[in-house]
Structure formats: C-alpha cells, structure tokens
Amino acid sequence: MKIGCPKEIKPQEFRVGMTPNAALEAVNHGHEVIIETNAGIGAGFEDADYVAVGATIIGTAAEVFAAADMIVKVKEPQAGERKMLREGQILFTYLHLAPDPEQTKDLIASGATCIAYETVTDRSGGLPLLAPMSEVAGRLAPQVGAWTLQKANGGRGVLMGGVPGVGPAKVVVIGGGVVGTQAARIASGMGADVTVLDRSLPRMRYLDDVFGGDFKTSFASAGNTIELAREADMIIGAVLIPGAAAPKLISRAQLGELKPGAALVDVAIDQGGCFETSRATTHQDPIYEVDGIMHYCVANMPGAVARTATIALGNATMPFMLALADKGWKQACVDDEHLLAGLNVHAGQLTYDAVGKALGIDVITPQQALKV
C-alpha cells in the first residue's frame, strides 16, 4: 500500500501524522511511504530522517493525496485537503465530526473511507488513540490556565500555589476521565486547591483511592457544579461523550456568577466545547473575554508540545495503521471490532451514530458499511 503523510496546515499545528519510526515499520512491512517535504519539521523531524528509513519525500500535498492509497494525518482535513480526497481512499486521522457539519458533508461527498482516531476503542471501553493526546492536553491545561490567570492576560492575577500567608488558586476540573485526571494531577502539583467533578461513583472512588491526598472529588450535579464554580479561580472543562458534541456545563447567564477574571480552559473544544461561550481559538491568539471571564479554547492544545505529542500519538496509532495497510481497511475492521468503531464515513455514507444524531444525517452501521 502507498501510505501518504502530508504536512499539517491547520494554524499553529506542528505535529505530524507519521514519525520516522512509524515510517520504518511500514517500510519493513513492504509498504511505500511518501511524506510531504518538511512535514515533520515542526516536531523536530527532518526530511533526511524519513529518507534514512526508506520513505520518499514529495514536494506538495497535492502529490501526496494523488499518489497515496491511505492518508495518515493528525488534525481533521481542512477544506482544501478535503477536495483532494477521492473515492476508495482511506483517511486515518482525528475527525471530530459532531460539531463540524461542513467537514462531514465534504467527507461524505468524497467517497473516501474515513477512520477517526477519537472513536477507535479498546477492550476496556477506552479510546486508545485519543488517550495520548488527552494526557498531553490534560497536563497542559493547568499550565495554560495559570498563564491565562495572570493579570497581564486579563485574568484574576492569582498564583496557582499561592505563597506563605496567601492561599492557593482554587481549581475545578469538570470530568474525571483521562484529561481531568491529568489536569488535576498537574494543578495539584502546582500547589492549587483542586476539586474534580464527575458523575461516576466508581470513577470517583478510584480517584479518591489513588489521588485522595492530592485533590478532592465531588459529584457533578448541576447545582454542585455551579456552586463550586462560583468559588473557582480556574475551571477546566474535560468532559467527553465519544464522537458526540460536548454537553454545555456552564451557560452564558452563569458567567455572571463566577469570579471576575476567572479562567475557563475548555479541553473539549474539539467536540464543540463544554461551556456555552466557548469558541475555538489558536495558539497564536488563544484567549478571549466574555462578561469578564477569560476563555482559553485552543482546538489543538497538544500542538504546543509537538514533539512529545507526535511521538506519543505515533506510538498509539502505529499498530492500527499497519493493520490497515497490511490487510486493507475491510479485513482489518473485520478482524478488529475496536478499529471498526473508528469508521465514521464510507463510500458516501455516515457510519457513526452519535455524529448522525448531532447533525441530523442518516447513518448506516459500520457492519453495513463492510458490505458496501
């Protein structure tokens, strides 16, 4: 199979879909790997690193899309990239379709087979290709939130760990999954007073058993959420419904109940955001203010630490990428129901139910798609 990796073109996206190590594995499996020139430069990988493992460097994204049987990326294809997809081609990347009707329509129209990292599952019910970036984004969230809290950036001017005689920042993390757990670990390590909200009692018991000395847990009822939010200096939104639009947990009207200059860090922005006033921003212009509340809503947070994030993502995606290349997408998905769960679009039809419900589009099941 010809596996193509174009350079990411989303603003301030420095990650790359394939590391040289992943390219080497694919070459060793007998596949041809074509990389757009300078695709890995933002993550510290030179063209020579890819050539050394047997990959071919190609000058433009158009040439990569035209030649490749499978396109491997990081972020969802942008409008210009979607026009280059073709019928029968495999696209393997993050998609986040539920809040993005234009992308969804374009992918359906392309006739391509589109497999989303964020909906591939594992035996324990986890999301193994989302988890590495969730870990990165979760660990970044308190760091960028602390920066947002600085007075020069419009925040309250509160130091995360305080100083002797002055209490620490109060941080509320909404969601106790991978993002929330990592965010709480880092925020508590910075000395903040941290509370994690979740609706799963077993998850809260787990967090209390493992991290009970580091941060507190509380049940995420609507009343409890706003009560804790009123006292918070920073609120980290870390709620995920796989493949679906994120629920809105703090409304525009409730901003008036928060402390002036409080920081909202929305890690769920790729799925539409979990605050009503959230809108996607970039690393170049990451924060904005609504009703005196500072919002940090960068849609590709891990891109800020591109090398770490690229290697972590490559470690996770490599086995699935190789299965798709070795077997073809149909046989790979027949053999692995967890990879089949990643199928979002095939041959002009949507195949992921949560996206269909979010966008009002008819859906066929992934199992039906295997017969198309």
Side-chain angles (χ1 to χ4, degrees):
M1 184 177 282
K2 288 185 178 181
I3 305 170
C5 178
K7 184 178 175 67
E8 297 294 322
I9 61 173
K10 191 165 186 172
Q12 288 80 54
E13 180 51 72
F14 304 109
R15 290 172 291 178
V16 62
M18 288 185 74
T19 63
N21 280 341
L24 175 60
E25 292 285 339
V27 169
N28 286 343
H29 278 238
H31 306 295
E32 183 179 346
V33 176
I34 50 179
I35 308 287
E36 183 182 352
T37 187
N38 291 326
I41 202 75
F45 299 117
E46 305 280 348
D47 286 352
D49 297 327
Y50 291 99
V51 172
V53 298
T56 301
I57 302 299
I58 291 185
T60 67
E63 292 173 284
V64 173
F65 275 83
D69 303 307
M70 176 167 62
I71 297 292
V72 178
K73 291 180 81 289
V74 178
K75 291 306 291 179
E76 71 279 359
Q78 304 301 288
E81 293 174 312
R82 299 196 293 267
K83 292 177 182 178
M84 294 188 281
L85 289 168
R86 66 178 185 274
E87 185 175 352
Q89 196 168 42
I90 302 168
L91 174 66
F92 192 38
T93 188
Y94 287 116
L95 293 177
H96 301 292
L97 295 180
D100 195 343
E102 292 306 314
Q103 183 197 176
T104 305
K105 291 174 184 176
D106 287 351
L107 294 184
I108 291 171
S110 75
T113 297
C114 306
I115 299 173
Y117 293 162
E118 73 274 8
T119 64
V120 173
T121 58
D122 62 22
R123 292 179 181 177
S124 64
L127 302 170
L129 305 190
L130 187 61
M133 297 304 94
S134 297
E135 289 166 345
V136 171
R139 293 186 180 204
L140 273 175
Q143 180 177 316
V144 299
W147 179 80
T148 304
L149 273 178
Q150 293 178 22
K151 193 64 179 178
N153 298 320
R156 285 178 50 74
V158 174
L159 183 65
M160 288 286 276
V163 293
V166 182
K170 290 188 176 182
V171 176
V172 171
V173 180
I174 307 177
V178 175
V179 170
T181 301
Q182 298 302 321
R185 286 183 62 196
I186 298 303
S188 62
M190 296 170 78
D193 178 352
V194 182
T195 301
V196 177
L197 289 162
D198 202 275
R199 285 181 174 269
S200 167
L201 291 176
R203 183 63 183 178
M204 284 191 286
R205 290 190 184 101
Y206 167 80
L207 294 175
D208 188 63
D209 286 344
V210 177
F211 303 106
D214 298 329
F215 53 80
K216 302 181 285 288
T217 59
S218 190
F219 189 76
S221 64
N224 204 29
T225 298
I226 190 59
E227 181 180 342
L228 287 166
R230 291 187 190 109
E231 300 300 316
D233 299 295
M234 183 193 304
I235 303 168
I236 297 172
V239 173
L240 173 72
I241 300 175
K248 306 305 180 189
L249 303 174
I250 293 182
S251 68
R252 171 76 182 257
Q254 289 174 323
L255 294 187
E257 301 181 50
L258 307 184
K259 292 180 178 180
L264 301 186
V265 180
D266 197 338
V267 190
I269 192 63
D270 273 331
Q271 294 294 134
C274 58
F275 308 126
E276 186 181 4
T277 44
S278 292
R279 58 174 174 80
T281 60
T282 67
H283 291 292
Q284 189 172 14
D285 187 17
I287 61 175
Y288 61 93
E289 176 266 331
V290 178
D291 296 345
I293 305 301
M294 305 309 299
H295 294 60
Y296 182 101
C297 303
V298 172
N300 61 329
M301 284 176 62
V305 287
R307 188 170 180 88
T308 296
T310 292
I311 295 170
L313 180 61
N315 291 342
T317 59
M318 188 191 303
F320 296 97
M321 179 267 291
L322 292 174
L324 290 167
D326 290 347
K327 303 176 181 180
W329 81 268
K330 279 193 177 181
Q331 191 60 49
C333 287
V334 167
D335 292 347
D336 186 351
E337 62 180 336
H338 302 295
L339 180 58
L340 181 61
L343 187 66
N344 278 217
V345 176
H346 172 62
Q349 293 181 291
L350 188 65
T351 61
Y352 201 81
D353 188 61
V355 176
K357 289 178 179 176
L359 299 180
I361 298 174
D362 290 337
V363 175
I364 65 170
T365 67
Q367 290 75 18
Q368 288 173 314
L370 289 173
K371 302 175 183 178
V372 176

